[in-house]
Amino acid sequence: MKRFAHSRYVTILDQIVSSLSNFALVALVAGVATTAEFGLFSLGYVLLLFFLGFQRALVGEVLLVRFSKAGERPAGVDDSAAGVSVAVGVVSAVALAVCGLLAGGDPLMWTVLAVAGPLVFVQDIVRYILIARARSGHALVSDAVWAVVALPVMVWLVAVSAPAWTVAAAWTAGGVVAMIVAIAYARVLPRPVSGARWIVANRDIAVRFSGEYASLNLSNTVVWFLLAGPLGVAGVAALRGASLLFSPLNTAFNAVRIAVVPDLVRSRGSRRYRSRLRETALILTGICVVWSGVVLLLPDEIGRLVLGATWDVAADLRWPYAVQGLAMVAYTALLAHFRAAARHTSSTAMRGFLAGATLVLPMALAFAMAAAGAAWGFAAAVALSVVVGLVWETRARRREQRGPDADGAPGPDDTPHTDHG
């Protein structure tokens, strides 16, 4: 029972269950929407995911890195952290409303996505609070409730050919129930006003982590809108459809990273640290090889069942996304190491390079090779960022071997880590 209450395996399972509802939303909307409708929905969903990821970097990762150790959780810190998520959710709602006015399409779909932000963001950050408190079992229960409440309704709506916006509304309603369950477990009361003080107190890493994420994912979000130029909405739908097939890999990679970072933080400086890092790389490689094989061998009949009409334009893009998955193995392992070892300059360099490459390479190759070129551009951007990360890791190790005074002053990654409440 205690092992269910918290372990890295329960944390991984929680992340998988959490992403199951998200995967179902996109897959089921694809099943009832036309290619053009799915393309517009994808633009809105990408924007929602951007803000969700931003709050995870701004608040969630700080909770894992700074407040995973016992006895390092000041009173009220979790209420303030949840308050930040409310504020980010409101900003996302405004951004989605504006985007809906500019992009057009079904206003009801844009409304549902805008309303979802402030609600599901709170549920998500309370999950991080529970994981940092070593109570990942409770986070798993919350996400399981979301899946149990929402999925049957979403499937029924697709079966009766209901409008796509109703599928998104059922998903949002399930998130609200999950939020209530998570808040009840954590006994958290979101306080947006004190959230500002939380940001100030943890600004040394909160600003860095969110800045890394914003630069990387803003470029990733912007490039989807820019790709609509050379590729059209159908081309964007093809890329989103292919990426959806490999989205379980992203889920698994994020799950492993979220689970392993607190463990690495607790074991920093010990032999167990290297062992955990090697284990992480092996697990990620195994997951990637197995899932990529499944997707590459997927029959057309099943592909159309998952993506509907979008399968016909997405099927040829599977290979570049499989290669990108392999590159993400090394990228994820490096990022987990950089977070746990406080090599913050190294992570900024790797993710900053990826931000620039993601904006440039897919666009450049899209003009030359259409959607296939854009897909290979995304893969190349990840692979090259791994090279940059390895170069910075090598430099950091050499500085450690020479000692802090070798160059007259400590490097950025040699700065001692100090906890702030």
Side-chain angles (χ1 to χ4, degrees):
M1 188 68 180
K2 185 178 180 181
R3 191 162 184 79
F4 171 78
H6 181 75
S7 76
R8 65 182 184 278
Y9 302 110
V10 174
T11 304
I12 291 172
L13 181 59
D14 167 56
Q15 185 66 18
I16 292 171
V17 172
S18 171
S19 298
L20 175 63
S21 300
N22 298 342
F23 177 83
L25 170 64
V26 180
L28 292 173
V29 168
V32 297
T34 65
T35 300
E37 288 172 342
F38 182 65
L40 287 172
F41 162 78
S42 296
L43 294 179
Y45 188 64
V46 164
L47 191 57
L48 183 67
L49 287 185
F50 169 77
F51 282 102
L52 176 62
F54 178 80
Q55 80 148 6
R56 287 177 174 178
L58 181 69
V59 184
E61 290 198 63
V62 176
L63 289 168
L64 297 182
V65 170
R66 180 149 287 173
F67 300 108
S68 289
K69 290 183 179 180
E72 297 187 3
R73 183 176 300 278
V77 67
D78 293 337
D79 291 350
S80 301
V84 178
S85 74
V86 174
V88 176
V90 171
V91 173
S92 77
V94 173
L96 280 160
V98 172
C99 185
L101 290 174
L102 296 176
D106 187 354
L108 289 174
M109 176 62 82
W110 288 104
T111 301
V112 170
L113 291 176
V115 170
L119 300 171
V120 303
F121 285 13
V122 171
Q123 188 274 344
D124 187 74
I125 217 61
V126 176
R127 288 176 53 243
Y128 276 80
I129 290 170
L130 289 168
I131 292 169
R133 289 184 186 177
R135 293 170 58 189
S136 54
H138 288 155
L140 174 57
V141 171
S142 171
D143 287 314
V145 166
W146 190 343
V148 169
V149 169
L151 287 180
V153 179
M154 294 165 70
V155 171
W156 176 77
L157 289 168
V158 171
V160 300
S161 300
W165 73 266
T166 61
V167 178
W171 173 80
T172 302
V176 172
V177 177
M179 175 190 70
I180 295 171
V181 171
I183 287 176
Y185 273 131
R187 296 184 180 179
V188 167
L189 179 61
R191 299 181 184 276
V193 175
S194 60
R197 293 194 295 271
W198 189 95
I199 293 295
V200 171
N202 296 282
R203 65 186 178 277
D204 57 325
I205 60 173
V207 173
R208 179 185 287 273
F209 290 177
S210 59
E212 288 177 10
Y213 177 87
S215 62
L216 171 58
N217 288 275
L218 185 60
S219 68
N220 188 49
T221 301
V222 168
V223 78
W224 283 105
F225 286 88
L226 295 178
L227 284 170
L231 302 181
V233 175
V236 172
L239 287 168
R240 289 300 297 171
S243 67
L244 175 63
L245 296 173
F246 286 88
S247 63
L249 278 186
N250 294 329
T251 298
F253 289 176
N254 287 330
V256 172
R257 183 166 65 85
I258 290 171
V260 79
V261 165
D263 200 22
L264 289 173
V265 168
R266 297 180 191 113
S267 62
R268 193 164 55 197
S270 69
R271 221 177 258 181
R272 184 182 169 199
Y273 183 93
R274 288 179 177 273
S275 163
R276 285 283 182 262
L277 207 53
R278 282 194 298 268
E279 178 185 292
T280 300
L282 288 173
I283 290 173
L284 293 174
T285 301
I287 292 172
C288 180
V289 170
V290 171
W291 185 256
S292 295
V294 169
V295 174
L296 292 172
L297 296 174
L298 200 65
D300 289 341
E301 295 78 11
I302 298 179
R304 291 192 184 94
L305 184 64
V306 175
L307 293 181
T310 304
W311 167 261
D312 295 325
V313 292
D316 292 338
L317 304 180
R318 286 174 289 175
W319 270 109
Y321 277 96
V323 172
Q324 181 181 341
L326 284 174
M328 283 299 298
V329 170
Y331 178 88
T332 304
L334 273 175
L335 184 57
H337 166 59
F338 291 157
R339 284 287 184 262
R343 296 201 195 283
H344 302 317
T345 302
S346 299
S347 69
T348 300
M350 181 175 72
R351 302 188 90 187
F353 179 87
L354 181 56
T358 296
L359 193 59
V360 173
L361 293 179
M363 280 297 297
L365 293 178
F367 282 100
M369 301 166 57
W376 282 113
F378 284 121
V382 177
L384 290 173
S385 71
V386 169
V387 174
V388 171
L390 289 172
V391 169
W392 278 83
E393 172 63 10
T394 301
R395 290 177 58 183
R397 286 182 179 277
R398 287 175 179 170
R399 283 199 302 270
E400 288 177 350
Q401 291 171 358
R402 291 196 301 264
D405 297 326
D407 298 320
D413 286 341
D414 298 317
T415 304
H417 177 63
T418 303
D419 285 345
H420 298 277

